[in-house]
Amino acid sequence: MANLEIEVCGIKMKNPVMPAAGTLVRDLDSMRKVASSGVGAMVTKTVSTEAARDPLPNLAQVDRAFFNCELWGEISPEIWVNQVLPQARELGLPLIVSLGYTSQQIDDLAPRVKPYADAVELSTHYLGDDLALLIEPIKVARRHLDVPIWVKVSPNIPDVKAMAIAAEKAGADAIVAINSLGPTLSIDVERVLPRLGSPTGYGWLSGPALKPLAVRYVYEISQSVEIPVIGVGGISRGTDVVEMMMAGASAVQLLTAAILNGVETYTRVIQGLESFLDQHGYSSASDIVGLFHRVGRIRYTSPPLIDQEKCNLCRLCVKSCAYDALAIVGDQLVVDPEKCDICGLCQTRCPRDAISFQYQLLPCCNERTLK
């Protein structure tokens, strides 16, 4: 069996899967529940200088998108420091304390959580896109803390890569990428009302729709900094963890899938990661970190090849072929090479892996490859 143990910033974890800061780690009882699922480390909901009063309602699912307008932890910093964090230390997991937001708030909070944190995660969620405002809390935290400082970046920043580089220079020990995307708006068309109770009805997007963006940022950031990257956004299964780690993440966090499907999601995701590693001959989770950095670009060279034994004539590929290049003839799926644009969509639509393409690898366009 593959070894799932990893080490990030000197913190040893039994596996690379953690909860992300949010609803499921809002207090001690919820953290205990998540801990029982087998996660590799514990991350708290964001602690700020006063308890949050969330709008109601503040969570909604629409199709494959998940929206929230939660703020930060609903517990006062006094309760966090005097009650929750001391007992959270007894969970037997590395404890990552999420803090927010401004330099003044971090100046107040960092020394108070220092006795309990194996690392501190600084949220930049409400700080806008001024790099100076984003970087100053890191410098303040570094003055107070000798534990690793992780910085969680927002996809709403115009240049996330520049933010990550600046954070590293300011003293960050890891980058957590990415936070939820927004603001967004979802309307209940039957009631003609917003789905969320914020003053504007706006919220923040997470879930599967966010994953491709998160993977891209993990890939770019991990090539731009020397410090570890923790991947967050849209993870719901073991292969999502694999994708994040191949893109350059040393570990991952997830929350939305566990909110929607229960904390046993963490167990299932960890088992899925282990199964993938075993089936593909990897000896450890660390073996796959940054593998994609070494890969060149791909170019398909000819129309698709059809494995007729695997094909069950479901017609998904036929329905979605914008070029009318696929058709069912008798009991076979056939391709018209004159019409085929080699777009590749049919391969991703096939649920039975019956469609493949010949391809060539082109030179890698990365500025840097993983050492």
Side-chain angles (χ1 to χ4, degrees), residues 17 235-238 241 254 265-273:
V17 178
I235 295 172
S236 62
R237 54 190 177 179
V241 180
L254 68 107
T265 299
Y266 293 109
T267 307
R268 179 171 51 79
V269 167
I270 294 164
Q271 291 172 343
L273 169 63

Side-chain angles (χ1 to χ4, degrees), residues 69-273:
C69 62
E70 284 190 309
L71 301 175
W72 50 89
E74 298 86 355
I75 296 175
S76 71
E78 289 75 23
I79 293 177
W80 277 108
V81 171
N82 297 324
Q83 299 178 32
V84 179
L85 295 181
Q87 294 183 73
R89 292 289 301 171
E90 299 174 7
L91 293 174
L93 294 171
L95 183 60
I96 319 302
V97 180
S98 175
L99 296 181
Y101 294 90
T102 67
S103 56
Q104 292 83 4
Q105 290 172 313
I106 301 304
D107 192 39
D108 174 42
L109 294 168
R112 298 165 72 179
V113 305
K114 179 179 179 180
Y116 312 108
D118 291 298
V120 163
E121 179 179 290
L122 301 183
S123 175
T124 63
H125 193 59
Y126 296 106
L127 298 183
D129 56 16
D130 184 334
L131 268 185
L133 294 178
L134 297 168
I135 296 306
E136 188 59 30
I138 303 172
K139 296 178 179 178
V140 171
R142 178 51 67 209
R143 290 202 297 266
H144 290 293
L145 301 172
D146 53 9
V147 298
I149 296 171
W150 300 1
V151 177
K152 190 170 187 178
V153 297
S154 167
N156 304 296
I157 298 170
D159 191 339
V160 173
K161 187 166 69 171
M163 164 62 186
I165 293 171
E168 181 180 31
K169 291 180 180 178
D173 298 289
I175 303 295
V176 182
I178 54 178
N179 214 323
S180 50
L181 178 67
T184 57
L185 177 64
S186 180
I187 299 170
D188 181 334
V189 297
E190 296 296 333
R191 298 188 299 161
V192 197
L193 291 172
R195 296 186 187 276
L196 298 177
S198 64
T200 57
Y202 294 171
W204 303 89
L205 171 71
S206 62
L210 190 65
K211 193 187 74 171
L213 183 63
V215 171
R216 172 235 164 158
Y217 277 130
V218 166
Y219 176 62
E220 287 192 352
I221 292 170
S222 62
Q223 293 181 93
S224 304
V225 299
E226 300 294 335
I227 56 180
V229 177
I230 291 89
V232 195
I235 295 172
S236 62
R237 54 190 177 179
T239 51
D240 295 334
V241 180
V242 173
E243 187 175 6
M244 283 284 193
M245 296 184 76
M246 285 184 173
S250 296
V252 302
Q253 297 177 356
L254 68 107
L255 190 74
T256 297
I259 291 175
L260 295 176
N261 302 304
V263 297
E264 59 269 24
T265 299
Y266 293 109
T267 307
R268 179 171 51 79
V269 167
I270 294 164
Q271 291 172 343
L273 169 63

Side-chain angles (χ1 to χ4, degrees), residues 59-67 186 195-196 208 256 260-261:
L59 301 175
Q61 181 188 15
V62 183
D63 299 322
R64 287 174 59 81
F66 187 81
F67 302 95
S186 180
R195 296 186 187 276
L196 298 177
T256 297
L260 295 176
N261 302 304

